């Protein structure tokens, strides 16, 4: 399949998988604390990736491990815990919506630290996507006034981590296989995460509790599919597209998360659905070539 089409296939898959991750975090928090949800998510993903990517890990060069550590911390460790804590106070769909700040952060960090150059179409698309995101946030706050939106700052910090990570992946790790990046970065996270879980108080729980077991089951799916498999696809997408296209998946994730939220009884308004459509328009514009829009401008003049 041509890379131009393949990147869209990856984008759709990631939208579905990561869009479903927020409801899985919510279900995990029913029987687990935020620290426990984050820890189990990393542990399940790490075990899965190490098992299927052991040979790839062996091929990682000594000089590349520095970037594995940085990518692991920024792309997974910090965001995983930040999202878990954020969803203790805000709806899962709202958390996914706030995550749509990632492309803007990618543009800013790319320009400031990685000498990235972006055309006006990408900037316009990002701005339109952010307008849609703002609409979702404002309408969400109006119909859910009891939620603590200060916790939304945790999602913005996580989005900033993602933005730095995708630029690092594109700039310093493009010569490493997607599986090696995913497996290597989670290998360095496994030991500190096990230590965190040990001191979290998890082993003081009644492990025969059905609610606890169900929560662990949800996080297991989240870790293996929503993190392990998704990171392999994401790393591949980074290598065959530019950072802004890659992070534009955060504009389509809320649409999927919104659907799960509705099914789970979360309350949404017509304005939120309209805002979700605006987000999709932003994604479309981000990924149109400069030539197409230049042609339209010439025809208009």
């Amino acid at each position: 399949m041509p890379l131009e089409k393949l990147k869209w296939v990856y984008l759709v898959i990631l939208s579905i998988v990561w869009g479903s991750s927020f409801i899985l975090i919510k279900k995990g928090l029913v029987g687990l604390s935020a620290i426990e949800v984050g820890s189990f998510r990393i542990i399940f993903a790490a075990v899965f990736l190490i098992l299927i990517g052991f040979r790839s890990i062996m091929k990682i060069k000594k000089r590349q491990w520095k970037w594995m550590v940085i990518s692991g911390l920024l792309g997974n460790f910090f965001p995983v815990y930040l999202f878990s804590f954020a969803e203790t106070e805000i709806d899962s769909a709202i958390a996914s919506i706030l995550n749509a700040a990632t492309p803007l952060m990618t543009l800013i960090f790319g320009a400031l630290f990685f000498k990235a150059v972006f055309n006006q179409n990408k900037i316009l698309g990002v701005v339109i996507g952010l307008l849609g995101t703002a609409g979702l946030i404002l309408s969400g706050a109006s119909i859910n006034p009891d939620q603590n939106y200060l916790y939304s700052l945790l999602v913005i910090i996580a989005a900033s981590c993602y933005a730095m990570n995708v630029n690092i992946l594109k700039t310093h790790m493009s010569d490493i296989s997607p599986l090696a990046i995913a497996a290597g970065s989670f290998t360095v996270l496994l030991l500190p995460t096990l230590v965190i879980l040990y001191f979290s108080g998890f082993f003081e729980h009644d492990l025969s509790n059905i609610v606890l077991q169900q929560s662990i089951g949800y996080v297991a799916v989240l870790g293996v599919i929503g993190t392990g498999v998704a990171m392999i696809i994401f790393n591949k997408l980074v290598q065959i597209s530019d950072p802004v296209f890659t992070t534009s998946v955060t504009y389509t994730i809320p649409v999927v998360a919104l659907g799960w939220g509705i099914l789970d009884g979360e309350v949404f308004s017509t304005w939120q659905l309209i805002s979700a459509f605006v987000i999709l328009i932003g994604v479309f514009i981000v990924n149109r070539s400069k030539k197409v829009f230049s042609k339209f401008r010439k025809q208009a003049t």
Side-chain angles (χ1 to χ4, degrees), residues 64-261:
Q64 295 172 327
W65 278 105
K66 174 183 71 174
W67 297 112
M68 290 292 170
V69 174
I70 295 173
S71 180
L73 291 173
L74 292 176
N76 295 286
F77 188 81
F78 295 136
V80 160
Y81 286 108
L82 288 168
F83 274 111
S84 294
F85 277 104
E87 287 198 40
T88 62
E89 292 291 337
I90 60 177
D91 282 340
S92 60
I94 298 300
S96 73
I97 292 162
L98 292 165
N99 188 44
T102 302
L104 177 61
M105 300 298 182
T106 303
L107 274 172
I108 294 172
F109 292 147
L112 290 177
F113 305 114
F114 298 93
K115 299 180 181 179
V117 178
F118 302 105
N119 62 47
Q120 58 186 329
N121 297 330
K122 292 187 184 298
I123 296 173
L124 177 62
V126 168
V127 171
I128 291 175
L130 283 175
L131 289 175
T133 302
L136 279 166
I137 294 172
L138 293 173
S139 56
S142 65
I143 62 176
N144 296 292
D146 57 323
Q147 296 184 10
N148 188 348
Y149 274 79
L150 285 176
Y151 277 70
S152 64
L153 293 176
L154 299 181
V155 181
I156 299 301
I157 295 172
S160 299
C161 290
Y162 285 147
M164 283 295 293
N165 182 55
V166 73
N167 278 299
I168 289 171
L169 288 172
K170 190 66 176 180
T171 307
H172 299 288
M173 305 175 73
S174 59
D175 58 334
I176 309 174
S177 74
L179 178 57
I181 293 173
S185 61
F186 273 92
T187 297
V188 301
L189 299 181
L190 183 57
L191 181 58
T193 303
L194 286 170
V195 173
I196 291 173
L197 181 65
Y198 177 78
F199 287 104
S200 69
F202 169 76
F203 296 101
E204 298 175 6
H205 292 313
D206 177 9
L207 301 183
S208 64
N209 184 287
I210 299 299
V211 175
L212 178 67
Q213 293 175 0
Q214 289 176 338
S215 292
I216 294 175
Y218 285 122
V219 180
V221 175
L222 175 66
V224 175
I225 306 299
T227 305
V229 174
M231 285 309 301
I232 297 173
I233 298 173
F234 178 77
N235 292 335
K236 179 63 176 177
L237 182 59
V238 170
Q239 294 182 345
I240 66 173
S241 65
D242 62 80
V244 175
F245 178 91
T246 303
T247 54
S248 67
V249 68
T250 59
Y251 281 170
T252 54
I253 285 172
V255 179
V256 177
L258 198 66
W260 279 116

